[in-house]
Amino acid sequence: MLVLRLLNVVAPAYFLCISLVTFVLQIFVFIPSMFRDPSTTPLFSPALLHGALFLFLSANALGNYVLVIQSSPEDLGKDLNLGEGAEVAEWLDGNRSPGSGLYSTHFCRLCARVTQRHDHHCFFTGNCIGSRNMRNFIMFCLYTSLACLHSLVAGMAYISATLSMSFADPLAFLTLLPHSISEFFSGALLSSEMFVILMLYLWLGIGLACAGFCCHQMLLILRGQTRYQVRKGMVVRARPWRENLQEVFGKKWLLGLLIPVQNVESSYRRQKEK
């Protein structure tokens, strides 16, 4: 448990550091290098287009990241006056809630609270993912993946121009790292260029991981399931996939694709207000 609590603090700091390094490289290294092309007009230069696209992706990724943290799943245990010990243990199966009739709830030991439609605990946000912040979490994964893949393309263009190499051959990227390591230790490659090459592989890994996680999460939403329910082997109520999507993304789903917006309120809170 101590290791998990430490990871819950280190992982968000690691993500913020990677985001800061990516922003600095894009704004001060990759994008300025694109202004060297004299054949394009200033209004439609690759630097401005890539800069605008990167800022759009970064703003959505960071905005949804903040909303995931701010829109924490409500602690249902406080509203139901749950005690400790045996009563809280009743929540650990994710299917029982003493005297409440709620479905799909779970007590997270790291957050020390009971949340509705608990999916998983995200260490990179230091928060549980549930009914209130699921949409913002998916948008965060989507735009993080796109921002990393965009940085990968911009970084490859920068390395191609700096080292006068071509990535037309698919194997060129696979052999780039071992070849660069040998040149770095022989003194033929600068440390700044080696750092950019290492970041290329880091962006590739993060981008593919976030994209795969986002696709898997969307598949679960279409089925009306959560990761916790799948892990525990719980049987879920069959509903049309449109209803499952609307429950997570709400009626303003198109607006949520363009700008970070607050997620829909949970069904428990709506019932409570009624």
Side-chain angles (χ1 to χ4, degrees):
M1 182 60 66
L2 179 61
V3 176
L4 294 179
R5 292 187 182 276
L6 181 61
L7 182 62
N8 203 40
V9 176
V10 174
Y14 172 77
F15 170 77
L16 293 177
C17 289
I18 295 298
S19 301
L20 180 61
V21 171
T22 302
F23 183 83
V24 171
L25 287 177
Q26 282 273 20
I27 299 301
F28 297 102
V29 179
F30 299 158
I31 295 178
S33 65
M34 299 177 186
F35 279 106
R36 301 172 185 174
D37 187 3
S39 62
T40 57
T41 59
L43 182 60
F44 298 100
S45 64
L48 293 180
L49 297 179
H50 279 277
L53 178 59
F54 174 72
L55 291 178
F56 171 76
L57 297 177
S58 300
N60 276 276
L62 183 59
N64 283 286
Y65 180 80
V66 173
L67 289 177
V68 169
I69 299 176
Q70 289 183 347
S71 304
S72 301
E74 58 267 54
D75 188 354
L76 304 185
K78 294 181 180 180
D79 297 328
L80 299 173
N81 297 319
L82 291 181
E84 298 180 354
E87 291 186 356
V88 174
E90 295 292 328
W91 293 80
L92 298 180
D93 61 359
N95 197 20
R96 286 182 288 178
S97 52
S100 66
L102 293 177
Y103 178 74
S104 184
T105 52
H106 173 64
F107 176 78
C108 178
R109 296 184 182 274
L110 293 176
C111 295
R113 62 188 174 195
V114 180
T115 58
Q116 185 184 14
R117 288 197 63 82
H118 175 87
D119 189 85
H120 69 284
H121 182 90
C122 177
F123 289 98
F124 286 99
T125 60
N127 199 6
C128 276
I129 307 301
S131 59
R132 291 187 63 190
N133 55 8
M134 175 59 73
R135 180 180 67 177
N136 296 124
F137 177 75
I138 293 177
M139 290 296 101
F140 160 69
C141 292
L142 174 63
Y143 280 105
T144 299
S145 175
L146 294 177
C148 287
L149 296 179
H150 177 269
S151 300
L152 173 64
V153 174
M156 291 176 62
Y158 173 79
I159 291 297
S160 177
T162 303
L163 303 181
S164 299
M165 62 179 302
S166 174
F167 289 98
D169 185 4
L171 296 178
F173 183 80
L174 298 178
T175 59
L176 175 62
L177 182 60
H179 180 69
S180 301
I181 292 177
S182 61
E183 288 191 350
F184 174 74
F185 285 104
S186 64
L189 192 66
L190 299 177
S191 57
S192 59
E193 298 170 346
M194 186 64 198
F195 178 75
V196 173
I197 292 175
L198 292 176
M199 290 299 298
L200 293 181
Y201 289 89
L202 183 61
W203 287 326
L204 177 63
I206 296 177
L208 293 179
C210 289
F213 191 87
C214 184
C215 294
H216 178 257
Q217 203 70 38
M218 285 297 301
L219 180 61
L220 292 178
I221 291 176
L222 291 174
R223 294 176 178 176
Q225 294 177 308
T226 63
R227 293 180 62 190
Y228 183 78
Q229 291 172 341
V230 173
R231 187 168 66 250
K232 293 296 182 178
M234 298 178 183
V235 179
V236 297
R237 180 181 56 185
R239 296 189 309 176
W241 61 270
R242 295 180 182 271
E243 295 183 9
N244 295 328
L245 284 178
Q246 185 173 352
E247 183 181 10
V248 174
F249 292 92
K251 297 181 179 180
K252 300 180 181 179
W253 61 271
L254 183 58
L255 182 63
L257 289 177
L258 301 177
I259 59 175
V261 293
Q262 192 76 19
N263 200 358
V264 294
E265 293 289 336
S266 67
S267 58
Y268 171 75
R269 182 167 295 276
R270 289 195 298 266
Q271 294 173 3
K272 182 181 177 181
E273 291 176 351
K274 291 180 180 180

